[in-house]
Amino acid sequence: MSSPNNDLGHDFVSRIKRPSPLGSTVFVGLRLAEPLVQHAILSRNLGSSFINRFGGELLPFGTPVEPCIGLSPYRLILFLMSAGCSLKQIFWLTSLAEQEMPVKNALPISAANFIINTLNSLFFINKFTSAATDGAQDLDDSEFPSIPLLVGSTAYVTGVLLELVSEIQRKRFKKDSRNKGKNYSGGLFSLARHINYTGHILMRGGYALAAGGWIWGGLITAFFVRDFATRAIPILDNYCQKREPTFQFMTMAGFSSVVQGRGATVCIVQELSR
């Protein structure tokens, strides 16, 4: 018979609090290298043979902001989104996280980011799937910026700030020795039990929307909502309940919410699907 933890799925974030220099170095190195791949796709159409093989057509480059950058305004924004994802994760690991980052976790996390960001770039440079309206990428184009770029960029920035600020607030709470072993429910976490996950979904969905349009953005958003609701959140709540017995995990049909009780935080996590 499988254990409850196994039934919840695999946890890609270790809950063991100790240094992991090798795994952390691997993670930081891979995350720093990934934006360079996205730059090559956006500036030199790396992967164009893959697009042509499936009957696609390459989007025109547009006018570079600066010759040394080699990216049009639209492509530069997408590159900065890729770099922002990497820098945010590196900052989290080196400045906020207390848990170890073993190599066995660093590799799949980095690979997942690489695959999703690369698909974003490839969908953008393919004319048939690009979110660039009529190929408009320059400041003087009447169709620039496109609606997907505006909405996606807004969601991306909002998501990054939600995730980053909430994690910083939680880190400050944990630094106080009086809060040892307690679960944080203040700051942005008072708005939602897993506000950092909400931020991550907005960031990922916004990036995908800005690159590949409404359908691709919707698919990526739905993927992360389902993954968090059916795997990541139940795993984390199970971990929190073990640390603090007064943390009660309940499953019901509907959505997630937090109910403040006497001396305890009752976390009601409802399933998105029956």
Side-chain angles (χ1 to χ4, degrees):
M1 180 180 295
S2 60
S3 66
N5 287 345
N6 290 335
D7 292 339
L8 294 175
H10 181 67
D11 190 1
F12 290 100
V13 177
S14 174
R15 303 301 170 185
I16 301 175
K17 296 182 179 181
R18 64 185 179 190
S20 51
L22 178 58
S24 296
T25 300
V26 170
F27 182 80
V28 171
L30 290 175
R31 296 306 291 125
L32 285 175
E34 186 261 318
L36 300 179
V37 176
Q38 308 313 322
H39 187 278
I41 295 174
L42 295 169
S43 65
R44 302 197 302 271
N45 283 341
L46 179 68
S48 59
S49 59
F50 179 81
I51 293 175
N52 294 330
R53 184 179 305 171
F54 286 90
E57 181 179 341
L58 293 178
L59 189 74
F61 278 108
T63 305
V65 176
E66 291 290 341
C68 61
I69 297 177
L71 297 172
S72 66
Y74 203 136
R75 294 178 187 236
L76 177 60
I77 292 173
L78 295 179
F79 169 71
L80 292 176
M81 286 183 176
S82 169
C85 290
S86 295
L87 294 177
K88 180 185 66 63
Q89 290 181 332
I90 291 172
F91 176 75
W92 170 81
L93 177 64
T94 58
S95 302
L96 301 178
E98 298 178 342
Q99 300 90 340
E100 65 175 353
M101 176 63 74
V103 175
K104 67 177 182 179
N105 287 0
L107 293 177
I109 293 174
S110 299
N113 280 276
F114 172 80
I115 292 171
I116 294 174
N117 291 352
T118 297
L119 287 174
N120 287 342
S121 297
L122 291 175
F123 276 125
F124 178 79
I125 68 171
N126 180 18
K127 186 176 181 180
F128 300 130
T129 57
S130 179
T133 305
D134 296 329
Q137 303 176 60
D138 302 332
L139 297 177
D140 56 354
D141 289 336
S142 60
E143 297 295 330
F144 180 86
S146 66
I147 298 300
L149 177 60
L150 289 174
V151 176
S153 297
T154 301
Y156 176 89
V157 173
T158 302
V160 169
L161 291 177
L162 271 179
E163 188 174 12
L164 192 59
V165 173
S166 64
E167 293 284 4
I168 292 175
Q169 290 176 334
R170 183 166 60 181
K171 176 68 173 181
R172 290 175 178 172
F173 173 83
K174 290 183 176 181
K175 287 180 67 176
D176 190 335
S177 59
R178 295 172 297 180
N179 299 323
K180 185 176 181 180
K182 296 181 180 179
N183 294 304
Y184 180 55
S185 59
L188 289 175
F189 280 97
S190 65
L191 303 177
R193 183 65 212 164
H194 302 285
I195 191 67
N196 53 334
Y197 287 170
T198 302
H200 193 83
I201 291 170
L202 286 172
M203 180 193 73
R204 278 294 171 196
Y207 183 5
L209 171 60
W214 300 104
I215 295 177
W216 176 240
L219 288 174
I220 289 297
T221 300
F223 169 80
F224 278 99
V225 168
R226 185 182 186 281
D227 179 61
F228 285 144
T230 61
R231 182 192 61 82
I233 288 177
I235 288 175
L236 181 57
D237 285 336
N238 184 64
Y239 168 75
C240 290
Q241 189 180 37
K242 289 181 178 179
R243 290 183 59 199
E244 187 176 348
T246 56
F247 183 94
Q248 300 178 33
F249 173 61
M250 302 170 63
T251 301
M252 301 171 61
F255 58 93
S256 298
S257 63
V258 176
V259 179
Q260 297 295 334
R262 294 184 180 180
T265 300
V266 182
C267 183
I268 303 178
V269 179
Q270 292 101 341
E271 297 175 345
L272 296 181
S273 59
R274 299 185 181 186

